[in-house]
């Protein structure tokens, strides 16, 4: 017995020695190859001073001119690799997806406030893969738009309710857009129809999402560095952040549990395949499976409501700033659909200009200019440069979609760039970048496209969107966007009025 203990301790000592020697050798010899180029770091802080606190995508775009498609910086020891071209993003995040699909940092914050198991933030492990499989099966991957066919009626119904809200209160358009995109997600995810005014589930999801945005407090950030803090009792003085984390966690648990349980009851009562949740319930094999389904479906609202609100707001902004584009789309709608009914998702293939307009919305101001960071799970080399395990990889989607070599006059909103006309080949489809890459690409892509199309087409068929007028003068929106992971247009004014009394009557009639 004694001999085996001393054998075990010799092995431990040998192992520790090996690790120490490895660390010393790595420190003395440096990385096994050059990191991708970038601004010169300073000791300890690295490139902290080079990174602006907002609109980082604009700075990264300038760095491309100096250092090329693949730039790297270090932030207090954390290596960050910025990809400024579609080719580099595809090579690293798609072709080498097996080692570049993890998600980064703030592990403890996310754990403490309960988000670490949701899809957008979870590591690339078996839970993540199960969630993505579930969503892929029922929502489809890029191009599998037919997966949404069973939900067309629900999406159209919510879009019609949106038009009624706009008719009643056009000034509150951003609020109506958010309410509608959220309601569409809940319809598709759970078969749940949100009520007008205060709605229990919308309230639940909104509370959890806004809680997430306020989650990183000093306490949770300290817990990133000192994981032991995770275990201190929340009643101790100075540990109020733990109480807050507990509250936020309860909101996240409620967001996952309550709608799922409700969908379960509804599915057993109605016995129909009316939502992604109910479709999944029919296929459950065990508890682990159910856990994945619950979190996969529960991740849709937080994953989609902000980006969709941003995209539809960008559409409205573009219509104010580009009246000729609006008129052209309305001419197409009037010609193909007429004025007696609303456009439907099944009309999509007959409305090429409207389609091109939606693509241009994605390109002109992508909802997430830098996507969501990926994290490498293995050391690897790319174009001769060393990308160590644990590096964060950011794709500059904003730059890729404004590259003047690919999109001439990139600042102009011009749907024609995506049309095959006068023998000119359409410019590159922005969906190749705007929904992210590889094994973490957006699982809501088909729902996003269906929602954007139906909201934009129905708005234009019955409303005119023009500049607001103040003191007899037109108010021109700045066209600027906010900072942050999702970059919304800065608040702007506009006038949204029915195109005719017949259009107003049509709006009321569709939800009667
Ligand atoms: C205009 C609309 C949208 C845009 C531009 C967009 C864009 C993105 C991007 C860039 C990512 C990160 C991909 C990556 O890491 O490579 C992402 C992830 C995600 N999106 Fe979307 N999205 C949109 C709509 C939606 C909708 C409607 C839903 C849900 C119904 C949704 C749910 C998600 C989820 C759950 C993730 C995390 C996926 C993962 O980490 O595995 N998104 N989206």
């Amino acid at each position: 017995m004694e001999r085996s203990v001393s054998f075990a301790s010799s092995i431990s000592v040998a192992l520790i020695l090996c690790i120490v020697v490895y660390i010393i050798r790595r420190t003395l010899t440096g990385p096994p190859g050059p990191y991708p180029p970038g601004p010169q770091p300073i000791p300890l802080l690295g490139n902290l001073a080079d990174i602006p606190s907002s609109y980082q995508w604009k700075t990264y775009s300038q760095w491309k001119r100096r250092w090329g498609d693949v730039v790297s910086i270090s932030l207090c020891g954390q290596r960050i690799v910025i990809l400024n071209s579609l080719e580099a993003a595809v090579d690293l995040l798609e072709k080498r997806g097996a080692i570049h699909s993890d998600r980064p940092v703030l592990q403890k914050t996310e754990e403490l406030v309960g988000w670490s198991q949701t899809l957008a933030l979870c590591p690339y492990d078996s839970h993540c893969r199960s969630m993505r499989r579930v969503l892929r099966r029922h929502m489809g991957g890029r191009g599998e738009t037919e997966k949404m066919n069973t939900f067309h009626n629900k999406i159209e119904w919510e879009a019609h309710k949106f038009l009624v809200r706009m008719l009643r209160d056009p000034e509150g358009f951003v609020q109506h857009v958010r309410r509608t995109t959220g309601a569409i997600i809940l319809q598709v995810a759970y078969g749940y129809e949100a009520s007008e005014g205060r709605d229990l589930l919308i309230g639940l999801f909104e509370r959890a999402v806004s809680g997430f945005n306020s989650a990183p407090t000093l306490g949770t950030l300290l817990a990133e560095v000192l994981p032991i803090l995770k275990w201190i009792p929340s009643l101790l003085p100075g540990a109020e952040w733990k109480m807050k984390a507990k509250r936020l966690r309860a909101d996240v648990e409620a967001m996952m549990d309550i709608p799922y349980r409700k969908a379960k009851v509804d599915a057993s009562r109605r016995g129909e395949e009316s939502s992604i949740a109910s479709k999944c319930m029919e296929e459950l094999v065990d508890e682990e499976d159910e856990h994945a389904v619950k979190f996969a479906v529960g991740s849709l609202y937080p994953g989609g409501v902000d980006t969709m609100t941003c995209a539809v707001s960008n559409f409205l902004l573009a219509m104010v700033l580009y009246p000729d584009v609006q008129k052209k789309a309305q001419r197409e709608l009037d010609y193909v659909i007429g004025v007696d009914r609303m456009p439907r998702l099944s009309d999509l293939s007959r409305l090429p200009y409207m389609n091109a307009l939606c693509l241009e919305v994605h390109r002109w101001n992508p909802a997430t200019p830098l996507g969501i960071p990926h994290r490498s799970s293995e050391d690897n080399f790319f174009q001769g440069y060393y990308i160590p395990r644990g590096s964060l990889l950011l794709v500059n989607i904003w730059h890729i979609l404004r590259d003047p070599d690919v999109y001439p006059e990139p600042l102009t909103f011009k749907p024609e760039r995506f049309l095959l006309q006068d023998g000119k080949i359409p410019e590159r489809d922005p969906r190749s970048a705007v929904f992210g890459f590889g094994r973490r690409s957006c699982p809501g892509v088909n729902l996003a496209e269906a929602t954007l199309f139906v909201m934009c087409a129905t708005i234009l068929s019955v409303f005119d969107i023009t500049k607001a007028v103040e003191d007899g003068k037109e108010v021109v929106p700045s066209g600027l966007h906010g900072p942050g992971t999702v970059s919304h247009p800065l608040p702007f004014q506009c006038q949204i009025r029915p195109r005719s009394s017949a259009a107003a009557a049509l709006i009321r009639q569709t939800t009667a």
Side-chain angles (χ1 to χ4, degrees):
M1 174 74 175
E2 243 173 50
R3 192 178 295 164
S4 71
V5 170
S6 74
F7 178 69
S9 51
S10 322
I11 295 267
S12 313
V13 170
L15 261 177
I16 291 168
L17 269 177
C18 285
I19 293 169
V20 171
V21 169
Y22 174 77
I23 291 171
I24 291 173
R25 274 180 57 183
R26 281 291 283 265
T27 317
L28 290 180
T29 56
Y35 295 123
Q40 189 65 32
I42 58 169
L44 287 176
L45 295 181
N47 297 99
L48 192 62
D50 298 309
I51 307 177
S53 58
S54 52
Y55 304 106
Q56 292 90 347
W57 47 92
K58 295 188 182 176
T59 305
Y60 297 161
S61 176
Q62 288 158 6
W63 287 355
K64 172 181 160 118
R65 261 180 254 139
R66 179 131 185 230
W67 287 292
D69 287 354
V70 185
V71 178
S72 97
I73 50 178
S74 113
L75 197 59
C76 308
Q78 170 67 62
R79 176 86 11 215
I80 301 175
V81 179
I82 297 141
L83 308 173
N84 275 316
S85 77
L86 184 69
E87 295 71 23
V90 168
D91 281 348
L92 279 164
L93 305 185
E94 299 201 339
K95 297 188 184 153
R96 297 191 197 176
I99 59 163
H100 290 306
S101 297
D102 223 347
R103 290 281 192 223
V105 296
L106 294 191
Q107 210 66 30
K108 293 290 164 292
T109 308
E110 288 154 17
E111 252 175 53
L112 283 164
V113 299
W115 283 87
S116 57
Q117 291 194 59
T118 59
L119 182 52
L121 300 167
C122 67
Y124 189 59
D125 55 11
S126 59
H127 171 64
C128 177
R129 284 191 284 269
S130 307
M131 288 194 283
R132 289 196 61 96
R133 253 196 313 274
V134 162
L135 296 181
R136 178 77 191 240
R137 198 158 52 238
H138 298 294
M139 300 182 81
R142 210 178 286 164
E144 292 179 289
T145 49
E146 71 288 351
K147 290 276 186 189
M148 283 295 117
N149 290 356
T150 40
F151 301 117
H152 280 187
N153 287 344
K154 287 174 192 284
I155 301 171
E156 287 163 359
W157 173 243
E158 289 297 336
H160 294 163
K161 290 199 315 198
F162 166 70
L163 301 177
V164 175
R165 288 178 204 130
M166 295 282 269
L167 192 59
R168 223 183 281 143
D169 168 35
E171 273 91 43
F173 62 91
V174 177
Q175 217 177 306
H176 304 321
V177 168
R178 187 170 181 100
R179 176 62 173 225
T180 306
T181 54
I184 290 176
I185 296 175
L186 293 189
Q187 281 271 20
V188 171
Y190 300 104
Y192 173 80
E193 181 167 358
S195 44
E196 288 299 307
R198 285 163 71 91
D199 178 83
L200 178 81
L201 288 198
I202 296 252
L204 191 69
F205 275 100
E206 286 292 328
R207 200 166 57 244
V209 170
S210 76
F212 174 73
N213 296 331
S214 68
T217 59
L218 183 61
T220 57
L221 292 175
L222 277 176
E224 297 292 337
V225 203
L226 287 174
I228 196 164
L229 288 182
K230 196 179 148 187
W231 305 109
I232 68 163
S234 45
L235 291 175
L236 282 186
E240 298 81 17
W241 59 273
K242 279 210 75 179
M243 292 294 275
K244 182 180 173 199
K246 214 167 163 183
R247 253 192 346 264
L248 297 181
R249 196 182 173 90
D251 285 341
V252 176
E253 279 163 9
M255 166 177 92
M256 292 296 158
D257 266 349
I258 295 175
Y260 184 79
R261 264 192 280 127
K262 187 170 173 356
K264 209 166 174 176
V265 173
D266 289 349
S268 64
R269 205 184 297 147
R270 293 205 295 256
E272 55 177 297
E273 281 200 351
S274 58
S275 67
I276 296 175
S278 61
K279 283 172 190 240
C280 293
M281 281 168 200
E282 298 205 331
E283 302 160 357
L284 291 178
V285 282
D286 56 26
E287 262 182 37
E288 203 179 314
D289 211 22
E290 180 154 40
H291 183 74
V293 167
K294 189 160 85 172
F295 273 80
V297 183
S299 298
L300 293 177
Y301 188 102
V305 73
D306 246 354
T307 41
M308 282 311 308
T309 304
C310 180
V312 180
S313 305
N314 271 324
F315 156 75
L316 292 169
L317 177 64
M319 293 304 96
V320 182
L321 293 174
Y322 295 87
D324 292 349
V325 170
Q326 182 177 171
K327 289 276 160 302
K328 227 167 162 176
Q330 286 174 327
R331 272 201 298 277
E332 183 186 70
L333 285 162
D334 293 349
Y335 181 72
V336 176
I337 309 293
V339 289
D340 303 328
R341 70 170 179 93
M342 294 289 180
R344 306 201 57 179
L345 277 156
S346 51
D347 297 315
L348 196 141
S349 60
R350 296 191 298 138
L351 295 165
Y353 193 78
M354 202 55 234
N355 259 307
L357 194 153
C358 291
L359 292 182
E360 184 66 341
V361 168
H362 287 312
R363 187 205 66 81
W364 188 51
N365 280 296
T368 58
L370 291 175
I372 306 178
H374 288 222
R375 183 173 182 271
S376 63
S377 48
E378 274 179 32
D379 291 347
N380 66 116
F381 282 85
F382 182 64
Q383 294 174 349
Y385 294 116
Y386 176 54
I387 299 179
R389 173 170 185 254
S391 301
L392 302 189
L393 295 105
L394 304 182
V395 183
N396 195 348
I397 297 175
W398 184 85
H399 175 85
I400 291 173
L401 296 178
R402 284 179 168 219
D403 184 344
D405 293 338
V406 183
Y407 303 106
E409 296 178 65
L411 303 186
T412 311
F413 188 90
K414 203 166 72 172
E416 288 76 8
R417 58 175 91 244
F418 299 117
L419 292 175
L420 180 69
Q421 55 182 18
D422 310 328
K424 196 179 114 315
I425 298 169
E427 293 167 25
R428 189 164 70 199
D429 188 330
R431 290 171 298 186
S432 55
V434 81
F435 290 106
F437 297 87
R439 301 176 188 202
R440 297 312 286 257
S441 69
C442 179
V445 52
N446 295 319
L447 178 57
E449 286 197 59
T451 303
L452 186 66
F453 173 81
V454 94
M455 287 184 77
C456 298
T458 52
I459 293 172
L460 288 186
S461 72
V462 289
F463 285 112
D464 279 325
I465 304 155
T466 51
K467 295 188 183 74
V469 177
E470 253 178 23
D471 304 328
K473 280 196 195 137
E474 285 190 332
V475 183
V476 183
S478 71
L480 297 174
H481 286 71
T485 306
V486 178
S487 174
H488 293 271
L490 293 185
F492 62 95
Q493 290 178 300
C494 64
Q495 274 185 349
I496 301 175
R497 284 183 297 206
R499 292 176 69 193
S500 64
S501 52
L506 182 63
I507 296 172
R508 291 194 194 94
Q509 194 186 313
T510 42
T511 50

